[in-house]
Amino acid sequence: MGFTDKKLLSVLKKHGYKLTPQRRAVLKVLSSSQEHLTPADIFEKVQPEYPGIGLVTIYRLLQILTEFGLICEIHANDNSRRYLIRRQPEHHHHLICSSCGTVVDFTDCDLSGLGKRLSRETGFEIETHLLEFVGLCRSCQKEAT
Ligand SMILES: [Zn+2]
Ligand SMILES: [Zn+2]
Ligand SMILES: [Zn+2]
């Protein structure tokens, strides 16, 4: 189960963010997309309806949504960040296909041992971690052979 439009709106409202028509339009694009989108993709989709919208508005909203854990931030190969409405609210990571861009979520990361060792060795107080696997999905492997 993912977050619906309503959920997104209510979280933003609760935290005192103003829901301008532009922000609503960005949320609509995000929540109706199955694909992960770059800020430029979102801009392209919202711009015809709201010609005044700036990329900064989109970046800011994406940052807020990421902070509240409402969207997944995916760091793709080409250094661009892509965003996807979070399909599962709990802590999870991604497998990313470098060919077609398919993203698969997984939850069973077991990095607590590594975290403990690193914090012992470096003195870091570790808060969280990001983990992504990049490779070829099943159907892209088939295509390649
Ligand atoms: Zn995800
Ligand atoms: Zn693929
Ligand atoms: Zn994890």
Side-chain angles (χ1 to χ4, degrees):
M1 283 285 285
F3 287 94
T4 60
D5 280 12
K6 265 196 190 141
K7 170 87 186 175
L8 288 174
L9 294 175
S10 75
V11 170
L12 289 179
K13 255 193 207 151
K14 216 174 82 194
H15 289 87
Y17 289 100
K18 262 179 69 186
L19 292 165
T20 61
Q22 293 184 340
R23 281 184 169 172
R24 278 174 193 272
V26 173
L27 291 174
K28 212 173 108 195
V29 166
L30 276 166
S31 62
S32 62
S33 174
Q34 300 294 318
E35 308 263 299
H36 42 284
L37 303 168
T38 64
D41 294 334
I42 297 166
F43 180 75
E44 246 172 57
K45 286 179 198 276
V46 177
Q47 209 253 352
E49 211 182 325
Y50 296 97
I53 196 164
L55 263 173
V56 176
T57 307
I58 294 170
Y59 276 117
R60 177 77 189 113
L61 184 57
L62 289 171
Q63 196 193 328
I64 294 165
L65 295 173
T66 309
E67 273 167 29
F68 292 135
L70 296 169
I71 52 173
C72 294
E73 195 180 53
I74 291 152
H75 300 252
N77 270 350
D78 51 1
N79 249 339
S80 66
R81 289 181 186 193
R82 293 162 196 272
Y83 297 87
L84 193 71
I85 282 293
R86 199 154 224 186
R87 284 165 300 193
Q88 41 187 13
E90 69 266 48
H91 176 83
H92 71 277
H93 302 292
H94 303 117
L95 287 154
I96 303 160
C97 178
S98 57
S99 175
C100 68
T102 292
V103 177
V104 174
D105 295 337
F106 68 94
T107 52
D108 55 336
C109 66
D110 184 10
L111 297 175
S112 57
L114 177 62
K116 276 191 196 125
R117 180 168 66 75
L118 286 171
S119 84
R120 206 171 46 234
E121 286 173 9
T122 64
F124 263 65
E125 198 178 298
I126 294 172
E127 288 158 359
T128 186
H129 60 258
L130 303 170
L131 177 67
E132 288 181 346
F133 287 103
V134 180
L136 285 177
C137 73
R138 234 179 237 153
S139 64
C140 288
Q141 289 173 53
K142 270 185 205 140
E143 253 168 58
T145 51

